[in-house]
Amino acid sequence: MDVLSPRIEQLRLRDLLMLEHIAASASLRVVAQQLHVTQPAVTQALRSLERAFGVALVQRGERGQRGGGLTPAGAAALQRMRVARQELLAAQRAALTPDVALLRLGVLPLTMYGLVPKALTRLRAARPDIHVTLHEDTLARLWQRLDDGQLDAVVGRVPMRDELSQLPTGVDLQRVGSDRLVFVAGVRHPLANLKRLPLTQLVDQAWVLPQPSAFTRQVFDHLFVGAGLTPPVPVITSMSFYSNLNLIADCADLLTIAPASAAHKHAASLGLKTLPTPKQLQASDVVLAYRRSARASPHMGALIAAFAE
């Protein structure tokens, strides 16, 4: 087990969290006002922090005086301290409810069609004492919440090359499944029974699509751009695959793009038809992401095992 240096062990939690106030206000004077202490007291606490960590955490001005901005070392330390604060809050909840283990799981909506429900069913059978809270969001926000310690794990797709910078440090990725995107229509749509469907025939159709920042929308737009076509402008924008599938089921002129698992699950109940979809929309791997330091936790181990099955 790693041993903390005596200087770090002597630090107070209030001093550690002071970096967050400094990062937010960029002024030691303002920090002193927020903490209801004198500015010399803030300066002294900062000196103790820097001696304990062995590096400068706050930038100096031209005269050698501390400014308010954090150094790169200070920013890196603050990020880990935010995680530590979330872990302290989790420890407090655990102490108040020792018979219930809490797992905070972030999920992309596309993973809720089969993959996550099946894994959580296995988890409940193996560990009925574990309480899971689900948080659905975009992948970028899920990575940020995992990095901040607000989530214990994330189930999402494999990051694209330009998204790797968003991936938190110290995170392990475990492949747990795959899914692909398909074009979907209601059975009453004029295109529902076609065997071939060129992209040129889809440009002027009425579409229900996710917002432009969503991965699915970006893949959709790139497909048309790659073919030299202008991507269709949606008549309805919605982030919920389930909502979109219900919309195309009731509106005979609408099309959407959705995970194949979602289209298959609701095909019979809603009256849906998967359209001929270009091969460029290949299957995307789905991964379970978790902080490496949390792998030894029995709760995380149970979650990993549930997905591995």
Side-chain angles (χ1 to χ4, degrees):
M1 183 175 67
D2 294 336
V3 178
L4 294 174
S5 71
R7 284 182 173 176
I8 289 183
E9 285 186 337
Q10 292 171 6
L11 292 174
R12 297 179 301 173
L13 179 60
R14 180 178 180 178
D15 295 339
L16 291 170
L17 296 179
M18 184 178 62
L19 285 183
E20 191 158 30
H21 291 281
I22 294 174
S25 65
S27 168
L28 299 189
R29 177 179 57 81
V30 173
V31 171
Q33 293 173 348
Q34 292 172 339
L35 298 179
H36 305 292
V37 298
T38 64
Q39 185 168 338
V42 171
T43 301
Q44 181 59 40
L46 182 56
R47 286 174 182 161
S48 297
L49 275 177
E50 292 184 329
R51 283 197 298 267
F53 281 89
V55 292
L57 302 174
V58 176
Q59 296 173 353
R60 266 74 171 174
E62 293 181 358
R63 299 181 180 179
Q65 296 179 344
R66 288 179 178 84
L70 298 182
T71 64
L78 173 59
Q79 184 60 43
R80 296 298 95 200
M81 288 177 194
R82 285 172 172 159
V83 174
R85 182 174 63 178
Q86 294 296 327
E87 290 300 321
L88 283 172
L89 291 172
Q92 182 186 44
R93 288 191 294 267
L96 294 173
T97 55
D99 297 330
V100 178
L102 178 62
L103 269 176
R104 302 159 300 174
L105 183 63
V107 296
L108 276 182
L110 69 86
T111 66
M112 292 303 297
Y113 292 93
L115 180 61
V116 171
K118 289 178 181 177
L120 294 186
T121 298
R122 295 189 182 100
L123 180 65
R124 290 181 59 217
R127 292 290 306 273
D129 60 308
I130 295 180
H131 176 78
V132 179
T133 59
L134 290 178
H135 305 265
E136 293 188 55
D137 213 330
T138 63
L139 191 60
R141 285 197 286 263
L142 290 175
W143 288 148
Q144 184 59 55
R145 296 179 71 179
L146 180 64
D147 199 25
D148 288 343
Q150 299 177 45
L151 295 174
D152 299 305
V154 166
V155 184
R157 57 176 172 76
V158 174
M160 300 175 68
R161 183 176 300 176
D162 59 351
E163 297 173 320
L164 291 176
S165 60
Q166 301 172 356
L167 190 66
T169 56
V171 167
D172 280 342
L173 300 178
Q174 176 178 317
R175 183 186 180 279
V176 292
S178 65
D179 208 343
R180 68 184 299 260
L181 294 169
V182 293
F183 296 151
V184 192
V187 293
R188 295 176 295 147
H189 196 283
L191 303 181
N193 296 313
L194 295 184
K195 300 299 183 182
R196 293 182 65 258
L197 197 56
L199 284 180
T200 52
Q201 197 168 347
L202 296 174
V203 172
D204 295 326
Q205 297 294 321
W207 287 88
V208 183
L209 298 174
Q211 63 188 18
S213 61
F215 168 74
T216 300
R217 177 67 177 278
Q218 293 176 6
V219 170
F220 178 87
D221 288 349
H222 289 165
L223 180 66
F224 285 86
V225 171
L229 301 171
T230 301
V233 177
V235 296
I236 300 176
T237 299
S238 165
M239 280 298 293
S240 169
F241 291 122
Y242 182 65
S243 297
N244 297 350
L245 294 174
N246 273 276
L247 283 167
I248 67 169
D250 286 341
C251 302
D253 66 325
L254 292 177
L255 300 174
T256 193
I257 181 173
S261 56
H264 176 74
K265 183 178 182 67
H266 299 294
S269 61
L270 295 179
L272 305 177
K273 187 71 178 290
T274 298
L275 302 177
T277 305
K279 294 181 179 179
Q280 292 92 320
L281 292 180
Q282 298 176 353
S284 176
D285 283 342
V286 179
V287 294
L288 173 67
Y290 50 87
R291 290 195 303 279
R292 203 167 294 135
S293 58
R295 185 182 179 91
S297 162
H299 309 146
M300 184 60 66
L303 181 67
I304 294 171
F307 275 100
E309 291 178 11

